[in-house]
Amino acid sequence: MLIVLGAAFATVATTFPSVGAEGWPFKPGRVHAHGELAALVHLARGRWDVGVLRLGLLVVLLVTLVLAAAAARGWRPRRFTLCALATALAAAAVLPPVLVQMALRESTAPWFYTNDSTYQIELAGGVVRDGSSPYGHDYRSSGLERFYSMHGVASRQTQSLPQLQHYPYFPGSAELSAAWTVLPRPWDDYRLLVALATVLLVPAALLFPGPTAFRLAVGVALACNPLAVRLAWFGSADAPCVLAIVAAFGFAARGRSRSAGAALAVAILLKQFALAAILPLLVMIWLDRSRREAGRAAAAGAIVLAIGLAPFLIASPRDLYRDTVVYGTSTYRIVSYGISGVLVRFHLVSRHSQGYPTVPILLLVWLPLAAGATWLQIRCRSLWAAGGSFTASVLVLLTVARVFQESYVIYPLAGVAISALLAGREISVPALTASMGHGAPAPLPSPGQRR
């Protein structure tokens, strides 16, 4: 119990200074509070009020202290109760900023208090529901062009932006959005799905074997750290992919190979960075189970990938390739803390250059290093090495890619958490079991036994 509360307190406390900071500078004009979340608009006084958001985090910290005091007095919740408490604490840290933005968006216009990536994913979901492909679709009159002006007025400059003529995300995001955005407003906001996926990282940690308190503590740290909380309210749509990756390794640790392969395929359909998990996952299943099980995982993943890609490949394979591969590797402006960013800083390539050799660098740098990490994983033969192999592979992939935004750090962070959860199967800590009420605490040694 105390280890879970400690993880919650530490991660929420470190999140406190950054929540709500550096949001989009929208200028919506008059805000008319209405809808189911109008009370939040009044509470925030019709604006992005950072003080209200941090007050919510302070409440989480105080509740954590109260629960810790109860645990110190002998309260030992059952496993289900402990999981529910940990998930509730994560929800209390993640959801309020998202709900405030949803309320402000509902009281202004769809292009305010949102993110261009999640807004375009919502629009793509609508295109899919209409029976069309989001790839090759023209978004210049969709409302997205009004987002980039920050005050809701379209102009010739905003309508000429190249991102309005491409959908750079993998098909799973559009398919998931098509299902999610059938909900009534304001609950159809894709960021709510992202926030719920972030919160679900807590119970997802229980897919791994090991001490319950330890697993929940890792899940809380992964869901409530400053980066994950920021991604939820800012609108970066990485959490569903991260959740699917964590689930894939969790299923593999339980011996459910087909489920592991299917979960990883879902992650790949959502974000390309999940490709870095293919070798670590399959090698983990091979070492822990058998080659046959690894083959079954690969087959299940291939089937799910085929099902997810088929509608868009049938509609227009050229548009799918142009929007996701060509645009992402040669057209989209360079935004990176890695190699491409260094080349821009030293004026060796321009920020909008198409000359950055993304594909050759991936083949000559990333693939050999990913193979080397896999070889070390095989030599180590420990389950936790799979998480380490994924961490190394995805971090190198981000470093050499054309685009490396700060939100992408969530992937190597998830790899570290996966390593910890896989190592948890080998942990046997009686104090953790006792703290949950499943046994008496181990007796202290007598003075004569101490050294």
Side-chain angles (χ1 to χ4, degrees), residues 46-327:
R47 59 186 177 87
W48 182 236
D49 194 334
V50 175
V52 171
L53 306 180
R54 294 179 180 175
L55 178 61
L57 290 182
L58 180 60
V59 172
V60 175
L61 294 176
L62 292 174
V63 170
T64 304
L65 288 179
V66 171
L67 294 174
R73 292 181 60 87
W75 180 50
R76 297 292 182 266
R78 295 183 178 274
R79 174 176 172 173
F80 176 81
T81 304
L82 183 59
C83 180
L85 285 174
T87 306
L89 289 173
V94 172
L95 289 177
V98 178
L99 293 174
V100 170
Q101 287 212 90
M102 288 169 53
L104 291 169
R105 187 186 188 191
E106 177 72 2
S107 298
T108 52
W111 42 83
F112 291 126
Y113 299 104
T114 186
N115 188 305
D116 56 343
S117 62
T118 48
Y119 188 17
Q120 189 172 20
I121 289 173
E122 292 170 352
L123 295 171
V127 174
V128 171
R129 285 200 311 274
D130 291 338
S132 301
S133 172
Y135 301 103
H137 186 78
D138 191 345
Y139 295 90
R140 286 178 293 183
S141 300
S142 61
L144 183 60
E145 75 283 358
R146 295 175 178 266
F147 167 90
Y148 293 103
S149 69
M150 296 293 110
H151 52 78
V153 177
S155 65
R156 181 176 299 178
Q157 181 180 4
T158 59
Q159 289 183 321
S160 64
L161 294 172
Q163 54 264 46
L164 294 174
Q165 300 181 58
H166 300 274
Y167 182 69
Y169 310 107
F170 275 25
S173 59
E175 293 168 329
L176 191 58
S177 174
W180 182 260
T181 52
V182 299
L183 296 174
R185 296 182 64 184
W187 312 111
D188 60 341
D189 195 309
Y190 194 79
R191 286 171 304 170
L192 181 59
L193 175 62
V194 173
L196 292 176
T198 305
V199 174
L200 287 176
L201 288 170
V202 178
L206 294 179
L207 289 173
F208 296 79
T212 302
F214 173 78
R215 289 177 289 164
L216 287 176
V218 175
V220 166
L222 185 56
C224 297
N225 68 81
L227 181 58
V229 173
R230 175 176 173 78
L231 295 188
W233 67 257
F234 193 72
S236 299
D238 295 283
C241 177
V242 172
L243 177 62
I245 293 173
V246 172
F249 281 94
F251 286 134
R254 295 283 185 180
R256 299 171 61 180
S257 303
R258 292 188 181 89
S259 298
L264 184 57
V266 170
I268 294 171
L269 287 170
L270 291 170
K271 279 280 186 173
Q272 68 272 27
F273 303 121
L275 291 168
I278 294 177
L279 279 179
L281 182 71
L282 293 180
V283 169
M284 172 187 165
I285 296 172
W286 168 45
L287 294 176
D288 191 48
R289 300 292 167 177
S290 65
R291 291 186 181 182
R292 177 176 294 181
E293 287 298 312
R296 289 173 177 171
I303 292 172
V304 173
L305 275 176
I307 293 173
L309 289 171
F312 307 99
L313 289 174
I314 294 172
S316 177
R318 178 177 175 273
D319 288 334
L320 174 62
Y321 177 77
R322 185 186 64 180
D323 281 7
T324 58
V325 178
V326 175
Y327 179 67

Side-chain angles (χ1 to χ4, degrees), residues 309-395:
L309 289 171
F312 307 99
L313 289 174
I314 294 172
S316 177
R318 178 177 175 273
D319 288 334
L320 174 62
Y321 177 77
R322 185 186 64 180
D323 281 7
T324 58
V325 178
V326 175
Y327 179 67
T329 59
S330 61
T331 306
Y332 191 84
R333 68 188 182 94
I334 293 176
V335 182
S336 176
Y337 300 100
I339 293 176
S340 59
V342 171
L343 295 180
V344 169
R345 183 174 294 274
F346 285 97
H347 306 289
L348 297 176
V349 298
S350 68
R351 190 167 294 277
H352 295 276
S353 171
Q354 296 185 3
Y356 180 71
T358 303
V359 176
I361 287 180
L362 290 176
L363 295 176
L364 296 176
V365 179
W366 174 61
L367 279 181
L369 290 175
T374 304
W375 178 73
L376 291 175
Q377 177 188 351
I378 295 173
R379 290 199 62 184
C380 181
R381 306 192 72 86
S382 294
L383 282 185
W384 63 264
S389 178
F390 168 64
T391 302
S393 178
V394 75
L395 186 57

